[in-house]
Amino acid sequence: MKTRYLLLFLFSLLLSASGLASLPVVDRDEARFVQATKQMVETGDYVDIRFQDQARYKKPIGIYWLQSAAVGLSGQGAQAPIWIYRLVSAFGIALSVVAVAWTGARLFGAAAGMAAGLALAALFAVAFEGRIAKTDAVLLACCVAAQGALAQIYAASRRNEPVAGFLPWLFWAAQGFGILVKGPIAPLLSALTVATLFAFERDGRWLKKLKAGRGVLLAAIIVLPWLALITWKSGGAFWHEAVGKDMLGKVAQGEELHGQPPGFYVLTYSLFMWPFGLAAIGAALVALNHVRKDVRLRFCLAWYIPFWLLFELIPTKLPHYVLPAYPALALLIGWLLAAPPGMAQEKLKRWQTLLWWATALGLAVVTLGLAAICIGAPLYLDHAFNFWSIPAAVAVLAAGWLAFPRPAPLSVSRIGAAAAAAGIAYALLFGTIAPSLQPIWLSPRIEAQVRAYRPCETTVLAASGYHEPSLVFLAGTDTVLTDTQGAAAHLASDPACALALVPVGEEGELTAALAASGRTAARLAEIDGVNYSSGKALALGLYHVAGQ
């Protein structure tokens, strides 16, 4: 049994490996997280969270501590490359995969657990988050650990079986660490699950097995020390920013241009649950017909449905917000695989059949779309054919085909084959094709030119017209984000060493501003491309004071 979990853990790490080092720092969330961690390492302050000189209090400290630990263990300090930071997410995903396999094995049997673990490891959303250095992969591990413990406590109680003594402690520890990583999301997921089960059954006696008194104390011991420190250090600003602006702002209205109408997660489901979205919907539809008789299915549906519905109603929407609910669907895939043979052939109601076929269309569209992106993106952006596009597209098509449910549910071997094909596709897409798309990776190209033309060891870059956080991470914490007038003042203040990045179209303004100090600007390099965060095409010039 331990061997099975070790293999899943290693399989998940293998699926996340390609792209950890080759994929440039992604704007804007990842870049903000890693820059804040980098500044912790630079300053030695592991309580406060800052991006340059601005407080960054939208999320708690957990992910920054984990990334700081990875950087410290690397021995490279603040100069550690991005893959060091991303290792935390890769391990978070691997732990999530093992946790869902463990839960599936305890609820439905060993084969079901293996199928659930393989399916979760290969989801598009999971593959992406495992390569990005931010909170969501580690949050997923906390959520699956908490929900897995809760599911076993609930199922054992409903069957009048003894509850393993470690399960309540695991549940509350996972809640504490989940809060330290991303605030209330893990407790919210469990609270919605419990509330849904209570509404269905009108019986909450099983909750006594959670040992809430001691459990809440454990969670408090994990969370409160840092909350007390940051409250003291920030003068209460952390609560205003994290709760007043970030959390409540997302509930009240769409924040940072991420407002979307209800139905957003329905429309993006087939992509972010690819390639197993159809298998999951099929299993969930069958499970609905047995929810009154099987407490395990009741728990899985109570895990997924209310969390998904709540986030459909919240105005601010990003695809990864519903990631903590996806393991419930992976468990249902495993359940149907291990269920009696005739169950998968049950006749569905008309609306269920329509939903199944709509999801089947979604699987086909996403599969063909991903294959087209593998081939078309290099042609469109680089105006060149990438050799790796063909095997990537073939792997995408193979994964979509293998994951398509036949009249019988998918077997473990077929799920494994689909997961392996998806893993090959991700390795080529995220590890080779995406990093080769030079026009969209402006920050690494800017940093390379700064290194090439740096006149002094102490050179500081001032950037106008391009303020992406990835540039700060790559070019240095001292990077000045300003306008063209500010860039001119920066050059004039240190004519021997300073560099400035200014849109080529504003070169005249830069020259005029420098003329007041009797100096002129010399363009050292030009960097053209597309800022994918804003969708704008840019032509940026790197400038130095002429004659220096």
Side-chain angles (χ1 to χ4, degrees):
M1 183 172 66
K2 293 180 180 179
T3 302
R4 181 170 70 246
Y5 295 141
L6 177 61
L7 289 174
L8 277 173
F9 185 84
L10 295 175
F11 178 74
S12 179
L13 287 180
L14 182 63
L15 257 62
S16 299
S18 181
L20 287 180
S22 59
L23 188 69
V25 183
V26 177
D27 285 308
R28 294 178 172 124
D29 278 356
E30 180 186 45
R32 289 167 176 160
F33 276 109
V34 296
Q35 175 58 30
T37 300
K38 181 181 180 181
Q39 288 181 217
M40 284 185 174
V41 176
E42 290 174 336
T43 63
D45 185 345
Y46 293 95
V47 175
D48 204 8
I49 308 169
R50 308 194 76 79
F51 181 90
Q52 293 192 303
D53 59 350
Q54 297 179 347
R56 179 168 168 77
Y57 294 148
K58 292 188 175 185
K59 299 293 182 291
I61 198 70
I63 194 65
Y64 303 103
W65 279 351
L66 291 171
Q67 290 178 357
S68 295
V71 170
L73 290 171
S74 75
Q76 300 184 58
Q79 303 306 312
I82 186 60
W83 69 267
I84 298 292
Y85 297 80
R86 288 172 172 168
L87 282 177
V88 174
S89 292
F91 277 96
I93 293 299
L95 291 173
S96 303
V97 168
V98 171
V100 83
W102 167 68
T103 303
R106 299 285 295 183
L107 294 179
F108 305 117
M114 177 63 77
L118 288 169
L120 183 67
L123 296 183
F124 184 89
V126 171
F128 182 74
E129 293 299 334
R131 290 171 165 85
I132 301 298
K134 54 191 188 72
T135 56
D136 297 282
V138 177
L139 173 68
L140 182 65
C142 295
C143 288
V144 179
Q147 291 291 99
L150 185 64
Q152 293 177 57
I153 293 170
Y154 169 73
S157 300
R158 283 288 173 259
R159 292 187 293 227
N160 294 316
E161 297 174 356
V163 173
F166 73 93
L167 289 174
W169 297 111
L170 175 60
F171 173 80
W172 290 108
Q175 296 291 353
F177 287 117
I179 293 170
L180 210 55
V181 168
K182 203 169 182 177
I185 300 302
L188 174 64
L189 175 61
S190 295
L192 286 172
T193 304
V194 169
T196 303
L197 292 171
F198 181 80
F200 190 89
E201 300 169 349
R202 302 293 179 181
D203 183 1
R205 288 173 294 178
W206 65 276
L207 293 171
K208 295 179 181 179
K209 303 290 181 67
L210 283 175
K211 300 179 181 178
R214 285 171 285 179
V216 170
L217 178 61
L218 173 61
I221 290 172
I222 294 171
V223 175
L224 289 181
W226 176 77
L227 285 179
L229 286 171
I230 193 62
T231 300
W232 169 74
K233 188 153 191 173
S234 69
F238 169 78
W239 296 100
H240 175 70
E241 185 73 22
V243 178
K245 286 188 176 181
D246 188 57
M247 187 174 72
L248 296 181
K250 289 175 180 176
V251 173
Q253 58 185 347
E255 279 208 335
E256 298 181 357
L257 303 180
H258 297 314
Q260 299 289 346
F264 172 80
Y265 295 114
V266 174
L267 294 176
T268 58
Y269 171 88
S270 290
L271 172 60
F272 289 94
M273 275 291 292
W274 186 86
F276 293 108
L278 180 58
I281 283 293
L285 292 174
V286 176
L288 280 171
N289 297 332
H290 299 271
V291 70
R292 293 189 177 276
K293 297 178 181 179
D294 194 326
V295 297
R296 303 167 303 172
L297 303 182
R298 195 178 306 158
F299 185 93
C300 291
L301 293 171
W303 178 345
Y304 181 79
I305 294 174
F307 192 82
W308 160 64
L309 285 175
L310 176 64
F311 278 85
E312 285 284 21
L313 295 175
I314 292 174
T316 303
K317 292 182 176 67
L318 285 171
H320 62 262
Y321 284 0
V322 294
L323 183 63
Y326 289 164
L329 297 180
L331 288 171
L332 290 177
I333 292 174
W335 160 74
L336 191 59
L337 176 146
M343 196 167 285
Q345 280 79 41
E346 284 185 0
K347 186 175 182 181
L348 299 176
K349 298 175 183 177
R350 185 176 181 182
W351 71 268
Q352 292 175 317
T353 302
L354 290 174
L355 178 58
W356 192 92
W357 280 109
T359 311
L361 177 62
L363 172 62
V365 169
V366 170
T367 300
L368 294 174
L370 287 174
I373 288 172
C374 289
I375 296 173
L379 293 174
Y380 178 74
L381 290 169
D382 284 337
H383 308 292
F385 176 75
N386 189 317
F387 168 80
W388 294 109
S389 294
I390 297 302
V394 170
V396 167
L397 295 172
W401 171 253
L402 289 166
F404 192 94
R406 302 326 191 250
L410 298 173
S411 63
V412 173
S413 59
R414 196 175 189 98
I415 289 174
I424 294 171
Y426 299 143
L428 295 173
L429 179 60
F430 294 127
T432 302
I433 296 173
S436 73
L437 304 177
Q438 291 297 309
I440 66 172
W441 303 117
L442 285 168
S443 291
R445 293 165 58 207
I446 293 167
E447 189 270 338
Q449 294 295 341
V450 169
R451 272 191 290 108
Y453 290 101
R454 184 189 303 272
C456 311
E457 286 296 322
T458 57
T459 291
V460 174
L461 174 71
S464 169
Y466 183 76
H467 291 175
E468 296 305 327
S470 59
L471 180 62
V472 177
F473 178 77
L474 293 172
T477 301
D478 292 336
T479 300
V480 179
L481 304 180
T482 183
D483 56 15
T484 299
Q485 292 292 326
H490 177 72
L491 289 175
S493 68
D494 188 8
C497 295
L499 292 176
L501 183 76
V502 175
V504 172
E506 297 178 16
E507 185 173 308
E509 182 182 346
L510 177 70
T511 301
L514 273 175
S517 62
R519 296 181 172 88
T520 58
R523 190 195 307 172
L524 304 174
E526 182 174 337
I527 305 100
D528 299 333
V530 177
N531 183 352
Y532 58 83
S533 295
S534 64
K536 294 181 179 179
L538 295 175
L540 301 168
L542 183 65
Y543 295 91
H544 182 48
V545 173
Q548 297 295 322

